[in-house]
């Protein structure tokens, strides 16, 4: 008896950083690999590949996800935002500036995931205290900074945004 054929590729159509993308992807290709290898968007990193380190954190349909745990084939019709899109639209310009000013990045490997997570936190809770920031970033690992500088940067942005009616504007 002949074995039943299983589809090895899937056609998807999605929006990535505001632009329509149509692609044929391997059924088992992870989102982070699709973005990096197929679209050349290398900002998100594949670290642990188990959803633990947060280096592959992305925004899909308004929620943060781990790009190493989600398959590209699941994204038909989705709206995906990467660190490149958030940077190019200046949505996180103030966070990026604060990370630099507070020395909240060193090797930079975790930084894209940290910035996407910080954006999501501030979208959800515009005035978080240090404990809330620490808890929210609990799924994003950094081996260089010790986290205090990252928390300082996010808290600085939260306080500045509370005083300004236009969060995320470029300087």
């Amino acid at each position: 008896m002949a074995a039943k054929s299983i589809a090895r590729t899937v056609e998807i159509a999605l929006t990535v950083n505001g632009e329509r993308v149509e692609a044929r992807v391997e059924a088992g290709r992870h989102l982070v690999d699709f973005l990096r290898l197929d679209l050349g968007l290398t900002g998100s990193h594949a670290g642990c590949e188990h959803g633990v380190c947060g280096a592959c954190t992305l925004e899909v349909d308004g929620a943060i996800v781990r790009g190493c745990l989600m398959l590209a084939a699941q994204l038909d019709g989705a709206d995906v935002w990467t660190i490149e899109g958030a940077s190019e639209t200046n949505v996180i310009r103030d966070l990026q500036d604060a990370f630099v000013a507070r020395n909240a990045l060193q090797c930079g490997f975790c930084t894209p995931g940290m910035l996407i997570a910080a954006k999501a936190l501030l979208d959800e809770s515009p005035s978080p205290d240090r404990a809330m920031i620490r808890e929210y970033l609990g799924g994003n690992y950094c081996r260089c900074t010790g986290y205090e500088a990252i928390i300082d940067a996010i808290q600085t942005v939260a306080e500045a945004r509370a005083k300004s009616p236009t969060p995320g504007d470029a300087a």
Side-chain angles (χ1 to χ4, degrees):
M1 174 157 58
K4 193 172 189 179
S5 175
I6 298 174
R8 301 214 186 269
T9 60
V10 177
E11 289 198 30
I12 57 173
L14 63 155
T15 304
V16 178
N17 299 331
E19 295 191 24
R20 185 84 171 150
V21 173
E22 294 182 11
R24 178 174 286 282
V25 296
E26 294 175 28
R29 185 179 291 284
H30 291 103
L31 170 56
V32 70
D33 294 329
F34 169 68
L35 293 169
R36 290 179 64 79
L37 301 174
D38 297 343
L39 301 185
L41 298 170
T42 58
S44 299
H45 297 122
C48 68
E49 298 186 13
H50 295 286
V52 176
C53 75
C56 63
T57 303
L58 301 156
E59 187 177 300
V60 175
D61 294 332
I64 59 171
V65 301
R66 300 294 193 235
C68 71
L69 297 179
M70 181 169 255
L71 297 176
Q74 295 174 275
L75 297 173
D76 193 44
D79 184 26
V80 177
W81 283 89
T82 68
I83 190 68
E84 291 91 347
S87 294
E88 290 168 6
T89 59
N90 288 324
V91 170
I92 58 168
R93 169 53 104 203
D94 54 353
L95 280 166
Q96 291 171 309
D97 291 345
F99 268 56
V100 171
R102 293 292 190 154
N103 198 26
L105 52 96
Q106 288 180 23
C107 81
F109 191 81
C110 72
T111 305
M114 288 283 187
L115 287 167
I116 294 295
K119 176 198 174 298
L121 168 62
L122 295 177
D123 288 349
E124 183 179 307
S125 181
S127 298
D129 61 19
R130 293 181 75 77
M132 183 183 286
I133 296 169
R134 190 174 286 111
E135 168 125 1
Y136 203 90
L137 294 180
N140 291 76
Y141 293 167
C142 176
R143 299 181 77 181
C144 300
T145 67
Y147 297 97
E148 290 305 310
I150 294 168
I151 294 166
D152 291 343
I154 295 168
Q155 190 169 39
T156 298
V157 169
E159 291 168 0
R161 286 184 181 184
K163 296 175 186 172
S164 171
T166 54
D169 275 355

